[in-house]
Amino acid sequence: MSAPADDLDLIGRRTAQRTRVVRALIDHGGFVGARALHGILESHGARVGLNTVYRTLAALVAAGRADVVRDRGGERLFRHRPFPEHQHYLLCRVCGLSTPVDSEAVESWAEGVAEASGFAEVEHTVELTGLCPRCRSSSH
């Protein structure tokens, strides 16, 4: 897994607050909202403003070092991306468990659409949600 310094090199000025945000996102391991991440930082005594959390997460996404999905309520959830390769996830709508999925078919499809249409620099968002085995069995 990359160190926060690697990510900080990609997103601009190094500050103690940005370092704490990146480290907290890495340590969290899964998807987390900006407000929840801010709460985690505060619970550990870190003095980081919510705006700094939002700006740092946005910079990580722009640099390709964080993935983002939306929960059922529309909130953006972030997960650290240790490698620059784009990744898709299957996200449980109940507990938030995220599982990386093989996305070769999606990537090939997006590239084919871009090529056929003559577009360049095409970006895409694919969100797969469902019920994980544990939540599915507890709902029956």
Side-chain angles (χ1 to χ4, degrees):
M1 184 171 294
S2 69
D6 297 339
D7 296 321
L8 291 166
D9 288 341
L10 297 171
I11 64 171
R13 201 173 109 230
R14 288 181 188 227
T15 66
Q17 291 80 15
R18 280 187 160 199
T19 301
R20 287 183 185 104
V21 172
V22 173
R23 174 50 56 201
L25 185 64
I26 291 170
D27 290 347
H28 186 271
F31 282 99
V32 62
R35 288 183 185 276
L37 189 61
H38 181 254
I40 291 167
L41 287 160
E42 283 188 326
S43 74
H44 289 102
R47 297 177 58 100
V48 177
L50 182 57
N51 284 336
T52 298
V53 173
Y54 276 111
R55 283 192 307 270
T56 302
L57 292 172
L60 287 169
V61 170
R65 299 310 294 220
D67 291 312
V68 63
V69 297
R70 291 194 185 269
D71 69 9
R72 286 182 110 173
E75 180 184 6
R76 291 169 44 117
L77 305 176
F78 303 86
R79 179 178 179 157
H80 182 255
R81 186 189 305 167
F83 306 105
E85 293 80 29
H86 180 68
Q87 180 69 57
H88 294 283
Y89 298 89
L90 182 55
L91 187 67
C92 180
R93 289 188 298 262
V94 175
C95 71
L97 175 71
S98 62
T99 304
V101 296
D102 178 10
S103 56
E104 188 175 322
V106 171
E107 300 302 328
S108 295
W109 171 79
E111 289 171 12
V113 168
E115 188 175 308
S117 67
F119 276 64
E121 299 183 35
V122 172
E123 297 176 356
H124 64 274
T125 302
V126 175
E127 295 185 13
L128 302 169
T129 63
L131 297 178
C132 72
R134 186 180 68 205
C135 293
R136 189 171 143 219
S137 67
S138 66
S139 69
H140 291 276

